[in-house]
């Protein structure tokens, strides 16, 4: 998150006129933007379709009126950021990759604004959960991704949300819980911890609650499937060389291996006719390495809308990178 703040701050100081901030969560993205504005001693305003500009209520249900406020704002010496939350949905391209005729005025005004405010300290930020930039704005727009929380931030959340008297985990168990939370949003992590606190305390049983929450998150993508771990390598017949390779690398993902400098295994290509145990072997590898197993349904990646397939691939990659280390099964 620190690097993201520095990146956004650098863009504001360089007078980038139009930023498209992609984040699965609005509140953390707003906090990041507010922290950046505080660091540069600027000011920030927020707009959404239902309530308009938060400081005045103008532009409610009328994006053109909301954009008019930005265009008529006088050039300022301090950095001024205008954040529009629902605009990305309103101007998203259709199935043919083209914007609708009733969106043309909005897109045209965005291009006009990008040229106008590039000369002063104003910046327009479109905050959205997905990257759906119209082709007409591709040259004027700079994309910023707000990633899911990493290990360090998850550990900080655990310390902040759980009282020390209610945290019944040793150092190793805390590390397991922290890693298990990777791939979840800050909101979902807070929700799981709150549920555990209601039940009494946060102990090793919280790991099962986190895994169930992660299973729900992955199921919602409609592309990835969270597969429960079952049997180990003992159920696989033959393939002794491959089984020996798997066992010899069972600790490759530990902190000790990383500190020692051992590289992580990158992947395995299994080729064979149906029924020869390829999927079974993938499951047993995940069990042997004690890593979550995700299955990617390639058929669900492809969508009918222009750019939809690319967006789904981007979504899958971001989620898998956040959950890593894990075993990803491409069947």
């Amino acid at each position: 998150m620190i690097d993201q703040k520095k990146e956004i701050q650098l863009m504001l100081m360089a007078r980038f006129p139009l930023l498209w901030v992609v984040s699965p969560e609005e509140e953390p993205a707003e906090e990041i933007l507010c922290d950046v504005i505080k660091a540069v001693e600027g000011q920030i305003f927020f707009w959404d379709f239902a309530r308009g500009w938060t400081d005045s209520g103008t532009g409610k249900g009328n994006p053109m009126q909301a954009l008019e406020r930005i265009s008529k704002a006088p050039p300022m010496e301090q950095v001024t950021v205008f954040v529009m939350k629902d605009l990305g949905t309103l101007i998203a391209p259709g199935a043919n990759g083209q914007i609708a005729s009733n969106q043309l005025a909005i897109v045209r005004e965005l291009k006009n604004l990008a040229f106008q405010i590039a000369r002063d300290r104003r910046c327009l930020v479109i905050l959205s959960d997905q990257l759906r930039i119209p082709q007409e704005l591709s040259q004027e727009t700079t994309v910023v991704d707000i990633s899911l929380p990493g290990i360090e931030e998850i550990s900080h959340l655990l310390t902040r949300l759980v009282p020390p008297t209610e945290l019944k985990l040793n150092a190793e168990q805390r590390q397991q819980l922290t890693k298990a939370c990777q791939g979840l949003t800050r909101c979902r992590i807070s929700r799981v911890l709150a549920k555990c606190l209601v039940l009494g305390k946060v102990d090793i049983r919280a790991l099962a609650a986190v895994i169930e929450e992660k299973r729900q998150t992955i199921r919602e993508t409609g592309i990835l499937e969270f597969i429960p771990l079952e049997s180990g390598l003992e159920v696989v017949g033959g393939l002794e060389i491959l089984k020996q390779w798997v066992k010899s690398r069972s600790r490759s993902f530990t902190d000790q291996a990383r500190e020692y400098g051992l590289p992580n295994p990158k992947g395995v290509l299994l080729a064979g006719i149906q029924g020869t145990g390829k999927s079974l072997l993938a499951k047993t590898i995940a069990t042997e390495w004690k890593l979550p197993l995700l299955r990617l349904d390639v058929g669900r990646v492809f969508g009918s809308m222009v750019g939809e397939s690319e967006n789904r691939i981007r979504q899958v990659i971001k989620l898998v990178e956040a959950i890593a280390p894990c075993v990803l099964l491409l069947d």
Side-chain angles (χ1 to χ4, degrees):
M1 183 179 292
I2 295 177
D3 293 337
Q4 290 168 341
K5 290 180 181 179
K6 289 183 177 179
E7 181 183 8
I8 296 174
Q9 182 175 338
L10 180 62
M11 292 176 181
L12 294 180
M13 300 307 294
R15 304 192 180 189
F16 282 36
L18 183 57
L19 303 182
W20 191 297
V21 176
V22 184
S23 173
E25 303 175 279
E26 276 192 358
E27 186 176 352
E30 290 179 22
E31 292 177 357
I32 291 175
L33 292 170
C34 289
D35 289 344
V36 172
I37 288 300
K38 185 178 180 180
V40 300
E41 298 181 350
Q43 55 184 343
I44 188 168
F45 303 96
F46 292 91
W47 175 90
D48 64 58
F49 190 80
R51 300 187 178 185
W53 290 106
T54 53
D55 62 329
S56 63
T58 59
K60 180 168 60 176
N62 192 332
M64 285 299 295
Q65 186 181 8
L67 291 172
E68 185 179 1
R69 173 194 177 162
I70 304 174
S71 65
K72 290 185 175 181
M76 303 174 185
E77 292 297 326
Q78 65 181 150
V79 175
T80 304
V81 174
F82 299 91
V83 182
M84 303 188 71
K85 298 181 183 179
D86 302 315
L87 195 62
T89 302
L90 295 174
I91 63 174
N96 59 356
Q98 303 296 319
I99 58 173
S101 57
N102 60 342
Q103 300 168 338
L104 183 58
I106 302 176
V107 174
R108 180 68 259 178
E109 181 60 14
L110 286 172
K111 290 176 72 71
N112 293 339
L113 273 176
F115 177 75
Q116 177 186 345
I117 65 180
R119 304 172 183 178
D120 54 53
R121 307 300 298 276
R122 288 173 290 173
C123 177
L124 171 58
V125 174
I126 298 175
L127 180 56
S128 177
D129 63 334
Q130 295 185 38
L131 184 62
R132 295 172 290 192
I133 301 177
Q135 182 64 31
E136 293 82 355
L137 292 175
S138 59
Q139 297 303 313
E140 292 81 7
T141 307
T142 303
V143 179
V144 180
D145 282 297
I146 304 297
S147 59
L148 294 170
I151 288 290
E152 185 177 345
E153 187 177 353
I154 294 173
S155 180
H156 176 70
L157 279 173
L158 190 61
T159 302
R160 181 168 61 87
L161 298 175
V162 182
T165 55
E166 303 296 330
L167 189 61
K168 307 298 182 181
L169 296 171
N170 57 36
E172 183 178 355
Q173 291 171 341
R174 180 183 175 121
Q175 186 181 66
Q176 288 178 337
L177 180 62
T178 303
K179 287 185 176 181
C181 288
Q182 287 184 284
L184 295 178
T185 62
R186 298 159 185 84
C187 177
R188 286 183 179 271
I189 294 173
S190 301
R191 201 160 56 201
V192 170
L193 294 177
K195 179 181 177 181
C196 293
L197 286 174
V198 169
L199 295 176
K201 57 186 176 181
V202 176
D203 55 16
I204 193 60
R205 291 175 297 179
L207 194 60
V210 169
I211 292 175
E212 179 58 31
E213 188 71 23
K214 185 175 290 186
R215 184 180 290 111
Q216 293 289 341
T217 302
I218 292 171
R219 186 183 296 124
E220 290 169 7
T221 66
I223 306 172
L224 288 171
E225 178 185 358
F226 192 100
I227 300 178
L229 302 182
E230 298 175 356
S231 304
L233 289 172
E234 67 277 0
V235 302
V236 178
L239 302 175
E240 297 301 328
I241 296 178
L242 179 56
K243 289 160 68 173
Q244 182 181 358
W245 178 86
V246 172
K247 291 180 179 180
S248 65
R249 285 157 177 77
S250 61
R251 297 182 59 82
S252 299
F253 297 96
T254 62
D255 293 336
Q256 294 86 348
R258 185 169 60 253
E259 293 172 359
Y260 189 77
L262 292 178
N264 292 335
K266 298 301 182 182
V268 177
L269 174 62
L270 302 175
I273 61 175
Q274 293 181 347
T276 52
K278 300 185 296 297
S279 297
L280 173 63
L281 188 57
K283 296 176 182 178
T284 59
I285 290 176
T287 301
E288 184 71 25
W289 289 351
K290 297 180 176 61
L291 296 176
L293 175 61
L294 307 179
R295 179 181 178 273
L296 173 60
D297 188 342
V298 179
R300 295 182 182 179
V301 170
F302 302 103
S304 59
M305 297 178 63
V306 175
E308 187 177 3
S309 302
E310 293 84 348
N311 187 60
R312 289 179 178 178
I313 287 290
R314 191 181 301 109
Q315 179 187 3
V316 167
I317 292 175
K318 287 180 64 176
L319 182 57
V320 171
E321 286 180 343
I323 295 175
C326 64
V327 175
L328 179 62
L329 170 59
L330 303 177
D331 195 350

